[in-house]
């Protein structure tokens, strides 16, 4: 099926190229980009037939902490998920008629042997469901085979599969590992805010994993791609726990990127925008924390994703909050963050990706980050001023203004506070989503000399 699919795609590309070449020889480019002369016009439908792979869902791979490993008996000494079935649900951005999966072994201490994989729609379309709609179940293959072994530090992409996905829908992915992974170092995304299920034995085709153990984490699965029209593009949200969704509701998908997605899909001019959440709780820009630092993961989590046209950077509060609360240390942190943002912009611009900067939200009253002398708050203000006024970002999204208490601008508005004076509740996340201008995700030509510096 993969070979047939590729040949069909190649045929469309070759036919289109030939048509454009012929038109080029006898005609001129009109205002719509089609070439015409002597009645020869490039078929608009042929232009629309151009398609590409676009990630519709991602999760940032991380080394799994001991507290986030699969529950017993699925974690043993140097062996995880042996003779085990793992069922996970993930939330799609854009839809498509063909899809493929990405699995990551980025942090595995041994090769990851996957025995079988299937996809299906979850019962009632729900996130976090242990049951599937059996008639929708389809087997996933890798180079035509049902199994695959992912080397240490690598990833694998499945074969294209005919499987219709609607925008905003949920997908169930079920994996069976006969031998498990022979290490206690495994790859996961702990902040799934979505329930996953584990059961001993091969239950890949089972309609429901009755009595299965559960955990609110994703394991091994790092991406879903769909074959999409050229008008479909992805936007990466690079961030920490505020983007990963701490304070949101499990199995509800109400993080601010989820709520932004719903708003964009309600508009015809932005309905083809995929939102890719590449955030993790505790992540930092400058130094490793929970997961690699943002500077080091830009290549993997942004530039290597399919169909990306935009990047929104909303990260840095953990760098400020974990640096020493002294004037010198906080000045250095603010300066280093600004330099790091500039580097991210340069690297993304090189790939033709527009970069938007989001101001850092308040943390006044937070036990760990708020210091009595206000050095960290001063660093936050310095960083936010640069984001707003430097002109280096292609646009600015003012999350600080959206989340802060007008009477106490160093603190989150109480109605948005999850309780720790740092993270937001679903209403607060809606305020962030509403603060993102939808027009930033319209497909438009890049300015002349874009990416020079």
């Amino acid at each position: 099926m993969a070979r047939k699919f590729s040949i069909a795609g190649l045929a469309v590309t070759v036919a289109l190229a030939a048509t454009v070449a012929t038109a080029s020889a006898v005609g001129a480019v009109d205002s719509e980009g089609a070439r015409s002369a002597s009645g020869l016009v490039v078929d608009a439908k042929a232009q629309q037939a151009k398609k590409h792979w676009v990630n519709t869902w991602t999760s940032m791979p991380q080394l799994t902490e001991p507290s986030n490993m699969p529950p017993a008996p699925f974690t043993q000494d140097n062996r995880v998920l042996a003779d085990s079935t793992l069922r996970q649900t993930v939330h799609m951005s854009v839809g498509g008629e063909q899809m493929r999966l990405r699995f990551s072994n980025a942090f595995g201490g041994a090769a990851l042997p996957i025995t079988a994989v299937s996809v299906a729609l979850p019962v009632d379309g729900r996130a976090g469901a242990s049951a599937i709609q059996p008639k929708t179940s389809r087997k996933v293959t890798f180079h035509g085979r049902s199994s695959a072994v992912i080397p240490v530090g690598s990833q694998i992409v499945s074969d294209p599969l005919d499987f219709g996905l609607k925008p905003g829908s949920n997908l169930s992915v079920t994996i069976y590992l006969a031998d498990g992974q022979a290490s206690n170092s495994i790859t996961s995304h702990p902040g799934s805010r979505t329930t996953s299920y584990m059961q001993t034995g091969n239950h890949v085709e089972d309609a429901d994993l009755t009595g299965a153990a559960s955990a609110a984490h994703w394991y091994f699965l790092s991406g879903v791609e769909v074959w999409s029209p050229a008008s479909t593009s992805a936007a990466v949200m690079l961030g920490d726990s505020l983007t990963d969704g701490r304070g949101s509701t499990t199995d509800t998908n109400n993080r601010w990127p989820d709520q932004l997605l719903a708003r964009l899909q309600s508009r015809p001019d932005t309905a083809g925008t995929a939102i890719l959440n590449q955030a993790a709780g505790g992540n930092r820009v400058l130094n490793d924390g929970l997961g690699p630092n943002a500077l080091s993961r830009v290549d993997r989590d942004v530039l290597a994703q399919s169909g990306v046209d935009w990047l929104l950077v909303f990260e840095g509060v953990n760098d400020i909050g974990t640096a020493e609360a002294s004037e010198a240390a906080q000045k250095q942190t603010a300066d280093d963050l600004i330099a790091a943002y500039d580097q991210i912009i340069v690297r993304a611009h090189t790939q033709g990706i527009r970069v938007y900067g989001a101001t850092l939200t308040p943390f006044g009253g937070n036990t760990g980050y708020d210091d009595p002398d206000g050095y960290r708050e001063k660093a936050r203000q310095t960083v936010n001023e640069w984001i707003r006024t430097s002109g280096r970002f292609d646009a600015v999204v003012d999350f600080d203004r959206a989340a802060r208490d007008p009477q106490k601008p160093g603190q989150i508005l109480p109605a948005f506070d999850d309780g720790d004076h740092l993270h937001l509740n679903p209403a607060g996340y809606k305020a962030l989503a509403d603060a993102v201008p939808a027009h930033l995700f319209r497909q438009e030509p890049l300015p002349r000399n874009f990416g020079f510096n």
Side-chain angles (χ1 to χ4, degrees):
M1 183 177 293
R3 183 179 299 275
K4 179 179 178 182
F5 185 83
S6 298
I7 291 173
L10 179 61
V12 171
T13 303
V14 170
L16 179 59
T19 304
V20 173
T22 303
S24 171
V26 296
V29 179
D30 65 23
S31 62
E32 295 300 319
R35 295 178 181 270
S36 60
S38 304
L40 177 62
V41 180
V42 174
D43 190 344
K45 290 184 178 180
Q47 292 279 13
Q48 294 173 359
K50 295 173 64 176
K51 290 191 174 184
H52 62 156
W53 287 107
V54 176
N55 271 100
T56 182
W57 172 86
T58 57
S59 70
M60 174 191 150
Q62 297 174 245
L63 175 63
T64 310
E65 297 177 286
S67 60
N68 294 324
M69 294 290 285
F74 301 99
T75 296
Q76 304 170 3
D77 288 341
N78 293 317
R79 186 75 58 178
V80 176
L81 290 167
D83 186 28
S84 299
T85 298
L86 169 66
R87 179 166 288 170
Q88 309 174 92
T89 58
V90 293
H91 189 61
M92 303 298 97
S93 295
V94 293
E97 295 304 315
Q98 292 84 26
M99 56 155 288
R100 63 188 187 187
L101 306 177
R102 291 189 183 195
F103 293 92
S104 175
N105 193 24
F107 299 98
L112 173 60
I114 296 177
T115 309
V117 180
S118 69
V119 293
L121 298 179
V123 66
D124 299 326
R126 291 189 290 108
S130 65
I132 62 170
Q133 301 175 40
K135 291 183 179 180
T136 68
S137 183
R138 299 288 184 275
K139 292 181 179 180
V140 175
T141 60
F142 306 88
H143 198 63
R145 298 174 293 191
S146 61
S147 62
V149 178
I150 310 176
V152 171
S154 187
Q155 71 164 341
I156 194 167
V157 182
S158 73
D159 297 332
L161 176 67
D162 289 335
F163 191 96
L165 287 170
K166 294 181 179 180
S169 62
N170 291 304
L171 174 70
S172 179
V173 180
T174 308
I175 311 167
Y176 174 62
L177 297 88
D179 298 325
Q181 188 165 17
S183 175
N184 289 130
S185 294
I186 68 170
T187 304
S188 71
H189 188 84
S192 65
R193 325 293 169 194
T194 308
T195 308
S196 299
Y197 297 88
M198 287 148 276
Q199 194 166 62
T200 300
N202 186 347
H203 301 280
V204 168
E205 300 300 328
D206 286 14
D208 196 357
L209 300 187
T210 306
S214 64
H217 312 305
W218 287 312
Y219 299 99
F220 311 132
L221 185 62
S222 64
V224 180
E225 297 172 286
V226 289
W227 187 242
S228 303
S231 58
T232 303
S233 298
V236 175
M237 310 293 128
L238 191 71
D240 49 39
S241 58
L242 287 160
T243 300
D244 202 29
R246 180 170 174 179
S248 64
T249 311
T250 298
D251 296 330
T252 305
N253 291 310
N254 58 9
R255 313 163 187 83
W256 74 261
D258 300 317
Q259 298 193 57
L260 171 62
L261 172 67
R263 184 159 63 88
L264 295 180
Q265 288 183 340
S266 70
R267 300 168 53 99
D269 58 340
T270 56
T273 305
I275 298 295
L276 309 182
N277 192 329
Q278 295 286 46
N283 199 242
R284 294 184 290 186
V285 174
L286 304 171
N287 299 295
D288 291 354
L290 294 181
N293 66 80
L295 271 177
S296 73
R297 65 186 182 90
V298 165
D299 289 338
R300 182 195 71 189
D301 294 346
V302 181
L303 306 185
Q305 302 305 311
S306 301
V308 175
D309 277 348
W310 306 282
L311 166 63
L312 189 149
V313 181
F314 176 40
E315 189 164 3
V317 70
N318 290 327
D319 297 83
I320 293 171
T322 58
E324 180 185 352
S326 68
E327 184 174 12
Q330 287 300 314
K331 182 181 185 307
Q332 186 68 53
T333 299
D335 290 345
D336 290 348
L337 276 173
I338 289 168
Y341 294 147
D342 194 71
Q343 279 292 302
I344 292 172
I345 293 166
V346 167
R347 289 160 64 186
H349 277 181
T350 300
Q351 302 299 319
I353 297 171
R354 287 184 169 93
V355 187
Y356 306 141
T359 53
L360 304 181
T361 48
F363 49 75
N366 179 266
T367 302
Y369 286 7
D370 190 14
D371 65 288
D373 295 314
Y375 294 127
R376 291 186 176 123
E377 174 62 12
K378 184 177 179 181
R380 186 180 75 90
Q381 294 292 349
T382 298
V383 168
N384 281 351
E385 181 67 13
W386 185 86
I387 291 172
R388 290 185 179 109
T389 64
S390 69
R392 287 294 289 141
F393 286 105
D394 297 299
V396 174
V397 179
D398 206 339
F399 281 169
D400 172 37
R401 185 179 298 276
R404 71 193 183 197
D405 184 344
Q407 305 303 316
K408 299 177 180 178
Q411 298 181 17
I412 296 170
L413 188 72
F416 296 161
D417 196 338
D418 186 48
D420 64 1
H421 312 302
L422 173 64
H423 297 96
L424 306 181
N425 56 29
Y429 287 133
K430 183 179 186 302
L432 297 192
D434 290 346
V436 182
H439 71 80
L440 296 181
F441 303 104
R442 294 174 184 159
Q443 285 197 340
E444 297 176 347
L446 292 171
R448 186 177 180 182
N449 296 325
F450 181 88
F452 176 72
N453 62 22

